[in-house]
Structure formats: C-alpha cells, structure tokens
Amino acid sequence: MNSEVLLGIQRNASTTILSVPDAERELDVAQPQVSDLCGNFSREQDALKALGILGEWIWGNDHETIVFAQAFGHQKTLIFRFGLDYTQRQQSLTTRIVNCYHNITVDSTSATFPSRLSMRMAIWSTIATVWAECSGKSTFQDPDVVIDVYDLGSTDLPPQISWSICHEGLFNDYVDLLLPSSQLSVKQPTNTVDFKSLIRLNQLGGRGCTTLVYFPVDPLSQSVFKGIDFRTFLNSYESGHIREEVKIYYRSLELVSNMPRHPNVMAPAQTLVTICKPGDDRPFVCGSLYPFLPNGSLAGYIEKNNESGKRIPLSCKAQWCYQMAAAIAHTHFVAHTYHMDIKPGNFLLDADYSLVLIDWEQSDAPITTAAPEIDGTWDVVEIPAERLTTTLRYTKYTGPERRNMPLTTPGGNGWNIWNVFLVWSKQCPKALELAEVFSLGRCMWMVLCQPDMNAFQDVISTEEVVEDWESSEDIPAHWRHLVQECLKYDPNERIGLRELVNFWDNARHEID
C-alpha cells in the first residue's frame, strides 16, 4: 500500500481493512434511533455541524483493531480510520475508540469511553479538527484514499491529533470484483459517467450504496446512484459476502433492463457509472443512475400522514392497491419472474403520486410482509384438478439440512438459508404467485389502515403482525374482506393475482 506522509507522521501501513456483519454494525449515525444514557444525539455532531459537515457512518473490522467513519460536506466525502495504538498506550484516543466500539475488556476506564455516545462525539470532533487541512490536499478525493488518524501521544487535553492520506491497496481488490459494461446483459444505456464526476448529497435507504447525487454542472438535476462503492466494499469485505453483493447488484441491473416495461415498475438505468484503478483507464461498472422521485416511499407517506393525524383519501388508497397488484401481476405473467421484497418502502411515489416498484435484487424478503410458507421449511407440488384450477400440496421438509444461499448471506431467516423462490420459480410458479399475493395483502392492509409503520421494527416473524382494522371505519367492508382473502394461511384459499387486479381496477373506478 502506498502512504502519502503528511505532518511528519508515517505509518507502517500493512492493513487488512475488513468489516463486521451487517447486524453488528453501528447504526447509521446520521439518523440514530436510540439515545445513550449519558446524553442526547443533538450533541453528537455539534463540531461537524459547525463546519457544515455530516457524519454518516461508523463501522469496524472483524479483527477488532480498526474503526472507520465516513463524513460528508462541501461536496466532499471522506473515510477516516482509527486504529489500535501499537505502542501499547491504552489511553491514546484511537485505542480508546477501538476498545469502546468493539466492547473490548480493559483494565482501566481510561482505556475506553463511558458510553457509545461519548465515543461517537470523540470520533466526529476529531474529524472536525482535521477536516479543513486534510480535505484541502490535492489527492484527498482519489477514490482509493482512506485518512488515517493518530494521537501524537501528548498528555495535553484535548489530545494532539495528526493524520495521513493512505492510498489503500484494497481498492484494487474492490475494482477486481467489478465487470466492464461489455460483460453485462443490459440494453445499451445512453451514456456512462465516471464515479469521480458525481457529487454526493446524502445517503438514501436501500441495499448497498443508494445515494442522492448530482453533477457539478447541473446541481438542480438530481439522480439516485445505486451500486457498490468503496465504503460498501470495506463494510463487507472480510466476510466475503461482497462478492455476492456485486452479483446481486448486476443481476438486478440486468433483470430490470430486460424486463418488459410497465408504468408501475422502475425503468431501466439510462446511465452506467464506472470506476478505474489508479493509473489504469479501463472502466468497470460500479453503479447506475436513476431518476430521483422526491415524493419518497409509500411507507414514508403513510407515516407522514399518521404524524399529522390525516386519513389518506380512499381514492388514493384504491388507486395504489390497484397499482401494487398490477406491478406484481406484470412481474409474474409478463416478465415471468418474481420480486420477493414486496413492502410499502419499495413502492416510490412519482411526481403524479403513482407507485413505482423498486429494489429488484431478489435476494431477501421483509419479515413484516413475508408469506408464512416461504420460511424454508416447506416443499410444494402442483396437483392438477378439473376446470383448469390447480391445487398446491405443501409438505414439511424433514430431510438433512439444506442450503441454496451462500454461506456468507446475512440474516437468520429461513429464506437466507433455503430460498424457496429460487426453487419454486422453476418448479411451481403458482406457489410464488400466491406467496406474493400474501405480501400484497399485508401491504394493502398497511395502506388501508395506516398503522404506525415504526411499530414493525422489532417484529421477528410474519406471524407477529396482526391485521387489526380498528379505527378503519372509513374502509369499505368488501375491501377489508378482499385483503383478508389475500392473507389466508393456506395459500390454496387465497385470491389469485388476476382476480386481485380486477377487484382493485373496479374499486378505483367505483370510488371515482
């Protein structure tokens, strides 16, 4: 690894920058959910806020020797690294940060922090101290740069901080995982752009790196970057799952590109984003750009109306239920595939408040809307019947442990081990249709009833969600009955997708 030495400080930079699993990472510290006992989050980033900077992420490596932090401001995004002080100074700032983040047992309270909040405050305050100087260097925005932070060892308070720009050797390993556009099965986008030409605005939800960006020449024209950036690589490198993340991204890119168009399904990317190794001008695809839909997700819209005490008009609800059903029917009957991740958060509202279904990775399912039978313990076969109807026979699997998902797949749900969508899509498409009818029914209940969307954060199984129609007197009885027909425990008793589309098509015209 090459290290650019600044301020007279040099580091013997042999690094393995690796990550902890998703479930063990620090929360997105820009949007914390729970306060530490010693204070409140309004104080956490005061030093950064004074400079117009936002701290975005904190994460660590599996060897419990490193803590990373990413911050953004003034059109610049920087990754900082805090490592154990190998001079054995237990009281050094960087060692205390590592000890606290990784919950390392220490002999003295002076070797750690009293709380996670105080640790985060120290991280962001330190970054604020060095930001102006390090961000002014000509190479700081090279895509392979990580900024190492040091405590000079003085007994002064606050500690004397130094830093160096490190050109991280693992960046080449990251690019080696990527493919050139010529090896992707996508309909030719109109153009490609260099990742370095994008200016980040803020992180959005979604898998991997989903970020609001713009070009310097047109700050008002915003796009959504979706793909695998270097931070995503550093977050999942050690487990090896980054290889699957790259495959999942490319698969979703190709799927949407080759899928027949539908007004309620996201359009294919028109622009691919590429990145190169230092000193090598060969471009590799690291992401793609999509139009930014400023009205947010259906889940966010429900929560916004709940906060203001408003009931969404029935005409909107009927229209959205129809659009959800139409999008999934198109997926199954025209595109001959499936979605798997059906939830209100994956339906965005366009400029006309019509729904657009996003996130086509086909690799995970939301616990709150998952059909009970997709938990990996059921097998299914079709039993032909008269009058063109089909009965499905479900049996509990009792054989040896089985897996069709990579060992590195995060998550402890049944479909993270045995993904029935991969099997049933080939052997029993009707079973997938009825599983996604259940997910649609749960989404429709959320739209019609407007429950507290935050109340589902601690749900660990789909059976925990109870479809309560309390305070929903405005919802017509036959709408409620239809939703309950989607949510039957026995898939054979559920309504079919075509019938679901027809019902809501009639309902939206009746309500008008």
Side-chain angles (χ1 to χ4, degrees):
M1 175 189 332
N2 297 321
S3 179
E4 181 173 332
V5 182
L6 302 173
L7 305 181
I9 305 298
Q10 186 168 4
R11 176 172 179 249
N12 181 12
S14 74
T15 89
T16 306
I17 306 182
L18 306 172
S19 72
V20 295
D22 283 344
E24 300 177 18
R25 292 189 201 133
E26 189 78 359
L27 286 172
D28 180 344
V29 292
Q31 296 178 335
Q33 302 296 319
V34 181
S35 177
D36 280 298
L37 295 176
C38 72
N40 61 71
F41 282 107
S42 64
R43 300 164 42 205
E44 183 176 319
Q45 298 196 29
D46 284 352
L48 286 180
K49 291 176 182 176
L51 302 176
I53 303 166
L54 173 68
E56 295 184 299
W57 300 88
I58 296 174
W59 72 99
N61 71 329
D62 275 358
H63 289 191
E64 299 185 345
T65 57
I66 293 171
V67 173
F68 297 97
Q70 178 173 293
F72 164 79
H74 308 292
Q75 301 184 352
K76 304 169 184 176
T77 300
L78 304 180
I79 297 175
F80 296 83
R81 175 167 49 201
F82 302 80
L84 281 176
D85 185 340
Y86 289 102
T87 64
Q88 305 301 316
R89 286 194 315 108
Q90 289 294 308
Q91 288 75 35
S92 74
L93 174 67
T94 56
T95 293
R96 291 169 62 213
I97 288 172
V98 171
N99 287 341
C100 183
Y101 179 87
H102 292 291
N103 295 315
I104 296 174
T105 301
V106 294
D107 296 329
S108 169
T109 56
S110 62
T112 185
F113 285 89
S115 68
R116 305 285 283 187
L117 174 61
S118 57
M119 174 203 69
R120 290 193 298 266
M121 291 177 68
I123 290 174
W124 301 131
S125 296
T126 301
I127 290 174
T129 300
V130 304
W131 180 278
E133 190 167 7
C134 65
S135 66
K137 298 298 178 180
S138 60
T139 59
F140 83 98
Q141 286 216 94
D142 287 354
D144 62 340
V145 160
V146 174
I147 297 173
D148 286 310
V149 178
Y150 312 99
D151 179 345
L152 289 178
S154 170
T155 58
D156 297 339
L157 291 175
Q160 292 184 334
I161 303 301
S162 186
W163 54 274
S164 67
I165 290 180
C166 179
H167 293 273
E168 177 52 61
L170 283 175
F171 183 82
N172 286 345
D173 295 340
Y174 155 63
V175 179
D176 283 340
L177 295 176
L178 306 178
L179 296 175
S181 60
S182 60
Q183 293 186 26
L184 295 175
S185 177
V186 296
K187 297 175 181 177
Q188 288 300 316
T190 56
N191 65 322
T192 60
V193 298
D194 192 320
F195 182 78
K196 292 191 295 184
S197 69
L198 301 176
I199 303 297
R200 296 178 68 250
L201 277 173
N202 60 271
Q203 186 78 15
L204 303 173
R207 194 184 191 100
C209 178
T210 306
T211 309
L212 189 61
V213 299
Y214 68 91
F215 294 100
V217 295
D218 188 10
L220 297 180
S221 180
Q222 300 173 0
S223 300
V224 175
F225 169 86
K226 190 173 181 66
I228 308 292
D229 65 353
F230 191 36
R231 179 197 61 79
T232 306
F233 172 87
L234 294 178
N235 263 335
S236 53
Y237 175 88
E238 188 169 20
S239 71
H241 189 61
I242 186 61
R243 295 182 179 276
E244 287 303 315
E245 288 291 334
V246 172
K247 292 178 183 177
I248 289 168
Y249 162 68
Y250 286 146
R251 184 173 67 238
S252 66
L253 178 70
E254 294 176 331
L255 175 65
V256 175
S257 176
N258 292 286
M259 184 183 296
R261 300 289 294 272
H262 187 275
N264 301 117
V265 172
M266 66 182 291
Q270 296 299 305
T271 302
L272 296 180
V273 181
T274 60
I275 201 163
C276 304
K277 292 181 181 179
D280 188 337
D281 60 1
R282 291 176 300 167
F284 296 87
V285 176
C286 66
S288 41
L289 296 183
Y290 300 90
F292 174 56
L293 303 182
N295 289 321
S297 72
L298 183 56
Y301 191 82
I302 293 171
E303 196 60 35
K304 180 180 177 181
N305 279 268
N306 287 348
E307 290 171 357
S308 61
K310 297 179 181 178
R311 294 289 290 175
I312 300 170
L314 290 183
S315 58
C316 292
K317 293 181 175 183
Q319 182 73 2
W320 291 339
C321 287
Y322 167 75
Q323 291 174 347
M324 286 191 290
I328 299 302
H330 175 83
T331 300
H332 283 260
F333 304 139
V334 179
H336 303 292
T337 185
Y338 57 89
H339 189 273
M340 189 174 175
D341 196 8
I342 302 171
K343 60 183 180 181
N346 279 341
F347 286 97
L348 299 186
L349 296 163
D350 67 13
D352 297 321
Y353 286 86
S354 291
L355 297 185
V356 177
L357 181 58
I358 63 168
D359 281 5
W360 290 85
E361 286 82 5
Q362 297 181 326
S363 61
D364 204 357
I367 294 174
T368 52
T369 62
E373 68 270 17
I374 73 162
D375 66 358
T377 67
W378 292 95
D379 288 331
V380 61
V381 293
E382 292 189 7
I383 306 299
E386 296 179 358
R387 298 182 182 179
L388 302 179
T389 61
T390 298
T391 300
L392 304 182
R393 178 182 295 162
Y394 292 82
T395 56
K396 273 287 187 178
Y397 177 74
T398 58
E401 182 178 349
R402 58 184 181 179
R403 172 182 285 273
N404 62 0
M405 295 293 283
L407 287 171
T408 57
T409 302
N413 298 299
W415 53 82
N416 302 131
I417 300 169
W418 183 259
N419 184 350
V420 298
F421 283 77
L422 299 176
V423 180
W424 295 356
S425 61
K426 299 180 177 66
Q427 298 179 1
C428 191
K430 183 65 177 180
L432 282 194
E433 175 194 338
L434 295 177
E436 303 224 285
V437 163
F438 182 96
S439 297
L440 281 172
R442 191 62 67 71
C443 289
M444 290 170 182
W445 169 74
M446 293 176 180
V447 169
L448 298 179
C449 283
Q450 297 180 223
D452 178 4
M453 304 301 286
N454 293 323
F456 302 121
Q457 291 182 354
D458 296 327
V459 169
I460 60 174
S461 72
T462 190
E463 288 83 2
E464 290 184 20
V465 180
V466 178
E467 296 86 19
D468 184 358
W469 294 94
E470 186 177 352
S471 302
S472 298
E473 294 81 5
D474 59 328
I475 305 301
H478 62 300
W479 291 15
R480 283 180 271 173
H481 177 75
L482 181 282
V483 170
Q484 294 304 134
E485 291 294 300
C486 297
L487 296 171
K488 296 286 189 180
Y489 185 82
D490 182 352
N492 287 298
E493 297 180 5
R494 295 175 197 156
I495 189 173
L497 259 179
R498 289 185 174 89
E499 293 84 357
L500 193 59
V501 172
N502 290 337
F503 177 93
W504 287 113
D505 192 21
N506 292 329
R508 64 179 180 142
H509 289 110
E510 289 172 359
I511 202 73
D512 287 339

